[in-house]
Amino acid sequence: MKQEKSILSDTSLPLTDQQNSSKSVKESGEFILISTPIGNLSDFSLRAKQTLQEADILLCEDTRVTTKLLSAYGISIRMESVHEHNETQRTTQIISLLQQGKIIALVSDAGTPLLSDPGYRLTKAIIEAGFPLTAIPGANAALTALTLSGLPPHPYMFVGFPPPKSQARKNGFTTLKAAERAGLKATLIWHEAPHRLIDMLTDLALIFGNDRPAAVARELTKKFEEVQRNTLQGLIEHFTNVPPRGEITVLVGPPLEQDETTEDDLDQQLQTALKTMSVKDAASLVATAIHLPKKIVYQRALELSKNR
């Protein structure tokens, strides 16, 4: 493929009518978020194809990945890479191109842009600048997995990728567990890499309980699509015996009624611990036992100790 100079790095491009006339922002460029297939190329919509054929520039995470999609549909368009390392730098240049009346589209490597992918900071800046913005819907791994999971479809919470390190991961899960104690009852959804799946499921079981209903979906829309539905412990056992491969989405169902710890339960455990321990030690012990953030439990322990 012939190497072309990046239009985003060409500072010699002049701003047009907006500098020299009263042309309004609404008459200038447009920014379009376009969903792409998560595996099966046939999931690319006719509207998405037509939009790319009419756009001036296509922003993508990896031009090599997007080239495969464009080639399959016979689309020719100038591509520019926008990823987490250059998104802030490119924002000013892209807004300048919108001022020139360019139609600019943004795709991620797969699925719906911005969801666990770059583009949010750029899109927010474009909204604040007042340029027209629209989206072409399409494939989404989290929602596809949700509909196949057999878990309650609403409410749901998409959390993205969990931290790669176990302690940070458990801290995040503990915060969600605390939200459940406060009344959150939602199906939780994450993406995860296959080599970290067992560790993630183990941490989930530690915080949410071995018997919590869950599902793991992998290779969605592809030839080897699979959805495993089980308890967290059952999923750990399955994927210990059958090493996971491919793109993975993990779902955890809302808490079972018998698993819920009420405020009275928390107070009872703290009252018992405070009989023989300091506030700090009692809070630490109970927080570990029921998987709640230590700060929250410590604050409640302070309140109870004042009333004793």
Side-chain angles (χ1 to χ4, degrees):
M1 179 180 292
K2 182 180 179 181
Q3 186 72 24
E4 294 188 40
K5 183 178 181 181
S6 169
I7 193 171
L8 295 183
S9 61
D10 189 351
T11 56
S12 66
L13 289 171
L15 296 179
T16 54
D17 296 345
Q18 187 171 28
Q19 289 181 324
N20 304 316
S21 70
S22 60
K23 183 178 179 181
S24 68
V25 170
K26 288 186 177 181
E27 293 175 311
S28 58
E30 182 179 13
F31 193 70
I32 307 168
L33 303 171
I34 300 179
S35 297
T36 56
I38 57 176
N40 193 319
L41 288 179
S42 298
D43 291 334
F44 196 54
S45 73
L46 291 174
R47 183 181 169 213
K49 176 183 177 182
Q50 181 180 357
T51 300
L52 284 183
Q53 289 172 331
E54 297 172 353
D56 297 302
I57 304 167
L58 175 59
L59 308 177
C60 48
E61 286 184 82
D62 188 330
T63 57
R64 295 167 297 181
V65 173
T66 305
T67 294
K68 297 177 182 178
L69 174 66
L70 300 183
S71 298
Y73 282 89
I75 300 171
S76 178
I77 184 174
R78 178 184 286 271
M79 288 186 290
E80 302 286 352
S81 63
V82 172
H83 44 74
E84 60 180 337
H85 301 297
N86 71 357
E87 185 176 350
T88 301
Q89 173 190 349
R90 287 282 173 98
T91 296
T92 300
Q93 301 165 335
I94 291 167
I95 288 178
S96 176
L97 290 167
L98 289 170
Q99 290 173 334
Q100 299 174 43
K102 301 293 184 182
I103 299 175
I104 302 178
L106 170 72
V107 299
S108 57
D109 285 347
T112 300
L114 277 63
L115 301 182
S116 295
D117 294 315
Y120 169 71
R121 288 173 293 181
L122 171 60
T123 301
K124 188 173 184 293
I126 288 169
I127 291 172
E128 292 174 348
F131 289 97
L133 172 73
T134 191
I136 309 238
N140 179 279
L143 293 182
T144 301
L146 178 62
T147 59
L148 296 175
S149 69
L151 299 171
H154 56 79
Y156 68 86
M157 178 183 292
F158 175 62
V159 194
F161 279 90
K165 294 187 177 180
S166 180
Q167 189 56 57
R169 199 163 49 229
K170 286 186 286 192
N171 290 342
F173 295 163
T174 300
T175 299
L176 291 169
K177 183 65 175 178
E180 290 185 347
R181 307 279 195 210
L184 175 68
K185 293 184 179 181
T187 294
L188 306 173
I189 309 173
W190 295 266
H191 294 320
E192 185 55 290
H195 66 278
R196 286 197 295 263
L197 178 61
I198 296 295
D199 291 339
M200 178 193 180
L201 291 173
T202 301
D203 289 342
L204 283 170
L206 175 66
I207 303 302
F208 293 99
N210 290 333
D211 295 332
R212 180 67 76 90
V216 172
R218 67 178 197 88
E219 294 293 89
L220 293 172
T221 77
K222 300 177 185 177
K223 181 178 180 180
F224 297 105
E225 175 179 288
E226 175 190 25
V227 181
Q228 286 290 327
R229 307 169 186 87
N230 209 319
T231 62
L232 285 170
Q233 182 58 40
L235 291 172
I236 292 171
E237 293 171 1
H238 171 78
F239 286 108
T240 298
N241 296 321
V242 183
R245 291 183 176 183
E247 304 290 332
I248 289 175
T249 302
V250 179
L251 306 95
V252 172
L256 303 173
E257 294 297 327
Q258 62 267 30
D259 291 340
E260 295 184 28
T261 300
T262 66
E263 185 176 345
D264 290 340
D265 296 328
L266 172 61
D267 287 357
Q268 183 178 3
Q269 292 187 50
L270 282 173
Q271 293 280 18
T272 300
L274 285 168
K275 292 178 181 179
T276 57
M277 299 181 181
S278 67
V279 171
K280 180 179 179 181
D281 290 342
S284 178
L285 175 67
V286 174
T288 301
I290 64 177
H291 306 303
L292 279 177
K294 290 183 180 179
K295 289 183 179 179
I296 294 175
V297 179
Y298 180 75
Q299 185 61 41
R300 184 58 183 161
L302 277 178
E303 295 172 1
L304 291 175
S305 66
K306 290 177 183 178
N307 295 331
R308 284 171 60 87

